[in-house]
Amino acid sequence: MSPTDLTRLSAAEAATLLQDGQISSVELTQAHLDRIEAVDPAVHAFLKTMPDRALEEAKAADAARAAGDDLSPLAGVPIAIKDVLATEGLVTTCGSKILENWVPAYDATVVRKVRAARLPILGKTNMDEFAMGSSTEHSAYGPTHNPWDLDRIPGGSGGGSAAAVAAFEAPLALGSDTGGSIRQPAAVTGSVGVKPTYGGVSRFGLVAMASSLDQVGPVARTVLDTALLHELIGGHDPMDQTSLTDPVPPVVAAARQGLAGDIGHLRVGIVKELGGKGFQPGVLARFREALDLLQQLGATVEEVSCPALKYSLGAYYLIMPSEASSNLARFDAMRYGLRLAPEDGPATVETVMGATRWAGFGDEVKRRIILGTYALSAGYYDAYYGSAQKVRTLIQRDFEAAFNRVDVLVSPTAPTTAFKLGEKLDDPLAMYLGDITTIPANLAGIPGISVPGGLAEDGLPVGIQFLAPARADAFLYQAGGALEAALVERWGGPLLDQAPALPGGGQEGGEAA
Ligand code: GLN
């Protein structure tokens, strides 16, 4: 098999070939490292790659297989890790200057699991600074480019992980989703991303943005691959106090059931508030097609209303900055990363802290710290933070009522396709508005998936989002798998086969080049 062919395999396909001894993890990992070297100068999905270390890990995976060890289903399949997850001995920047040289002394639980399962780690992926943003343009290390159109954003904050997967630089990636940072990048790059139920995957070692909203999850090119990765990283972790004690939901079995076209008597609810005005016509067209397909497969589709969702942006952009302002207080020039003396005047604790935070944080992070500090301040706490928490309860109740009638909810993952780099950079509010479809799930703690729904009128990918009740993540994979199978059949192959060839990447990318 040629190195190019190896990078086009799904993780599940690669895993089967590894199990059958037809390819080695070293070959598979090398093929991805070569692909990264060829196309990443144009895409910039990675902040750092670890070729030598990845190949060592691949060699160890091959050796373990040769020795007949009992291996995880994904053993030997390489993975990319969002730079928000602590990696022992490897710089973890969170896309920020303030952590430019921070080398964690431990692995995040999910990273530890990935290593224990013998998935070679290709590198750390780019992200908006401290996961604040929807475009990866707020990275202190320059933006990532959308593989479908290099002048466009790959989504955010996890644009690096989604672009790495969509550009065939990695078959699997990890992301984090506080308000959509896994799902929206998946949507605009034509890949699959899942935000698990809050507490379903450990947050230990995930650099905290807003602890009550943050969740780690899988990114890949197929629903089955995200399920396989979900199963690997999920489960109880005593190191995370919000970790659920439930077993991991049967996501792989559900994905396979869906892929076989079996959606049983699935009841699908269209969320009235997540569509219509402000949504791009091409996005809505693909959404309607997805609904037709689900109905053809035997699902019932009805409209449901979640009226409190109209307040979700307001609530999110108070709760998230409030928690972030508190979480980011730990970057005080004493404990982590950067430490700068003031340009003039005496160096005291306060002036060093001030100079370091001024130089170390970018504009978006400062904006949110100021907003959060204001919302939490004595005179305003009840009016802003307190009200936002009440709205959060209303949103949870709306979802509960909806899930009394249907099994899953469906909406476009994002109101538009990928916008141009720079287009919304000077207009934070316009950027925030695009999060309307993804943030309700985080506010309610429920799981969500984004699967490719086709191309809009501008030739760019559209994502279809499913939401399920807390702990019912399996429904996402069943519905997502069924839609994926039906659409791939209609397209005559995966959507990403239609993506243009990338500079440096040869001609294998498809027609649109
Ligand atoms: N785009 C959202 C924000 O800017 C979500 C970010 C995230 O999920 N980390 O806050």
Side-chain angles (χ1 to χ4, degrees), residues 26 29 99 159 266 280-281 286 350 384:
V26 169
T29 304
L99 288 179
L266 200 75
Q280 191 177 319
R286 295 295 82 76
E350 282 78 15
Y384 294 117

Side-chain angles (χ1 to χ4, degrees), residues 162-180:
V165 162
F168 298 91
E169 296 173 84
L172 298 169
L174 287 179
S176 67
D177 192 310
T178 303

Side-chain angles (χ1 to χ4, degrees), residues 149-189:
D149 175 349
L150 296 170
D151 293 331
R152 292 182 187 265
I153 59 114
S157 64
S161 282
V165 162
F168 298 91
E169 296 173 84
L172 298 169
L174 287 179
S176 67
D177 192 310
T178 303
S181 283
I182 292 176
R183 289 163 288 155
Q184 179 258 12
V188 301
T189 59

